[in-house]
Amino acid sequence: LSSPPPPSPPASKKTSLRLTYLLSCLQGFSQTLFLTVYATFPTMHTGSTMKFLHALTAGRLARGFNSASFHLSMISLYLLGCVLYRLLSFSDAPTSPRRTVPVVALLAACDYVPMQAKLLLSSFVFGVINSTSMKNYGLITCMLTGHVHKFGDALYSMKFGPGETTSAVVCLGFVSGAAGCLWGL
């Protein structure tokens, strides 16, 4: 067996902020699209958990977008995407996200599958994307609550450091993606 390749060199601050913006923009666009058009959450599993429990208590167990099995599958496939990222990374050391590109390309290559399968696949792919973002760059781009909180603390104290700048870029990217999605709908 061969040893894992050396970790990627750290990204420059300019590259990191650009990547942060792009990942956040992707999250804002996709989450807005999925929530607005399909009423699903490919990356926000608090919402998927609530929908799962609602469908379960309403007795909608097995069929359609609004069933307990569908929402449980969204959560499970996201977890599998996270596990796949870890398997592709070979170790705890940060690795090149290029290994995950073929997995992400699956999302674009599956136009022929039914919509329910696309939604489930998107949850899996976002598990890989978010794991790449978190493990390689330390970014959480699929949730804004912590970033808004950090930015609010900085506004109060008037102390803006690199963390607050990153949080501002995450919020700006997410809002830009969401606005772009809504404008396109």
Side-chain angles (χ1 to χ4, degrees), residues 110-169:
C110 70
D111 277 348
Y112 58 91
V113 299
M115 184 53 65
Q116 191 167 355
K118 284 182 192 178
L119 294 173
L120 292 171
L121 182 61
S122 72
S123 194
F124 172 75
V125 170
F126 273 110
V128 175
I129 291 171
N130 291 345
S131 291
T132 302
S133 175
M134 184 60 198
K135 295 293 183 186
N136 288 52
Y137 304 105
L139 294 172
I140 297 175
T141 58
C142 60
M143 299 178 289
L144 295 184
T145 306
H147 295 290
V148 171
H149 180 83
K150 188 184 287 187
F151 196 64
D153 283 349
L155 284 174
Y156 172 77
S157 67
M158 296 308 289
K159 294 179 184 174
F160 292 88
E164 289 76 15
T165 301
T166 299
S167 288
V169 170

Side-chain angles (χ1 to χ4, degrees), residues 42-63:
T43 64
M44 300 186 306
H45 295 297
T46 302
S48 292
T49 301
M50 290 186 306
K51 285 187 161 245
F52 163 71
L53 292 171
H54 185 263
L56 189 64
T57 59
R60 293 187 315 272
L61 301 178
R63 296 189 56 116

